[in-house]
Amino acid sequence: LSSDLFSKLYSILIMSGHCHTFLKHKIKGSWLRELNQFYLNDLGTKKIESVFDEDWTIKDSASKELKKIRSEKRKIENSLDKVMATCFDKAKRDGILHEENIQLFDNRKVLSVSATNKRKIQGIVYGQSQTGKAVYIEPAEVTNIRNELQELNFRETIEINRIQLMLTNEFRPD
C-alpha cells in the first residue's frame, strides 16, 4: 500500500474505534451484535503510527537501515554543500562567474559561468541561459559526491518499498 492508502486505512481504523467505543455504551440488545462489524485493529494502528509521521512520510526510525541511509544522505548533502561553496568561492575569485550565487538547474546545484569562461572550470555542462551568455556547470568535484547521493536515494527508495510491503503484509489477512 502507498502512503496515501495507509493514511486512509488509518482513518478507517481510528473512526471505527471511536464509533465502536461510543456505541458500545449507547446501544442494547440485538444491536450489540452489529458492533462486531466494526473493523478494529489496535495493533495495526500502532504499527502504522510507528512507521509514518503526521505528514505521512516514512519516519527515519521505521527501520535501522532507513535510519542509516538517511543519516548518510545528510552527511553527503552537507559535504556536497561545502564542496560546492568552495568551488563557488574559487570561481568567484577567478572572475569567471556570470551570477553571484549558486544556481539550481534541473534540481542540481550548478555554477552560472560566463560562456566565454566555460573551459576554465572542469565539470558537466547542464545547460545555458536563454541569452547564451551563461553556462550552467556542475563542478567535477561535486559530480562524484552527487553520484553517491543518487545511489543513496536508490537505496532509500528500495528500503521504503520494503517497509511498505512489510506493513501491507500485516493487514493482508484482513
Side-chain angles (χ1 to χ4, degrees):
L1 298 174
S2 67
S3 297
D4 185 50
L5 290 175
F6 275 116
S7 168
K8 290 174 182 171
L9 175 58
Y10 183 76
S11 292
I12 290 168
L13 290 169
I14 295 298
M15 285 189 288
S16 290
H18 289 319
C19 289
H20 185 269
T21 301
F22 176 77
L23 292 173
K24 177 169 67 172
H25 302 293
K26 301 287 181 189
I27 61 175
K28 305 277 187 252
S30 63
W31 283 99
L32 282 172
R33 283 192 309 263
E34 298 300 319
L35 280 178
N36 293 332
Q37 299 300 312
F38 282 98
Y39 177 56
L40 303 174
N41 188 338
D42 291 337
L43 182 60
T45 302
K46 285 181 176 66
K47 285 186 179 184
I48 290 173
E49 289 170 347
S50 74
V51 169
F52 292 97
D53 64 16
E54 56 278 347
D55 296 324
W56 293 100
T57 301
I58 294 185
K59 296 177 182 179
D60 290 1
S61 60
S63 79
K64 288 180 182 177
E65 182 65 15
L66 186 61
K67 188 173 189 170
K68 179 181 166 192
I69 290 168
R70 287 184 174 168
S71 174
E72 287 178 43
K73 273 183 65 174
R74 283 188 287 276
K75 288 177 189 171
I76 299 269
E77 286 166 350
N78 288 336
S79 173
L80 183 96
D81 289 342
K82 287 177 185 174
V83 170
M84 192 65 182
T86 301
C87 291
F88 174 79
D89 290 341
K90 183 181 181 318
K92 187 175 182 179
R93 278 192 313 275
D94 293 346
I96 62 174
L97 291 177
H98 184 262
E99 296 284 333
E100 289 297 316
N101 52 18
I102 294 171
Q103 302 289 306
L104 202 60
F105 187 87
D106 226 11
N107 219 14
R108 290 180 177 268
K109 292 181 180 180
V110 294
L111 299 178
S112 176
V113 177
S114 299
T116 56
N117 293 315
K118 67 182 178 184
R119 300 270 185 248
K120 293 182 179 178
I121 187 165
Q122 294 290 314
I124 299 173
V125 176
Y126 282 102
Q128 67 179 16
S129 65
Q130 288 181 342
T131 62
K133 291 182 180 180
V135 177
Y136 301 108
I137 299 176
E138 180 181 70
E141 298 93 318
V142 173
T143 303
N144 287 339
I145 299 170
R146 168 64 76 189
N147 289 342
E148 284 181 61
L149 189 58
Q150 190 64 36
E151 184 182 324
L152 287 170
N153 286 333
F154 291 140
R155 287 178 47 205
E156 181 182 30
T157 300
I158 290 167
E159 183 62 11
I160 286 171
N161 289 339
R162 188 190 69 76
I163 291 166
Q164 286 177 309
L165 179 61
M166 285 181 54
L167 190 55
T168 298
N169 286 337
E170 292 289 328
F171 291 93
R172 200 172 299 281
D174 298 333

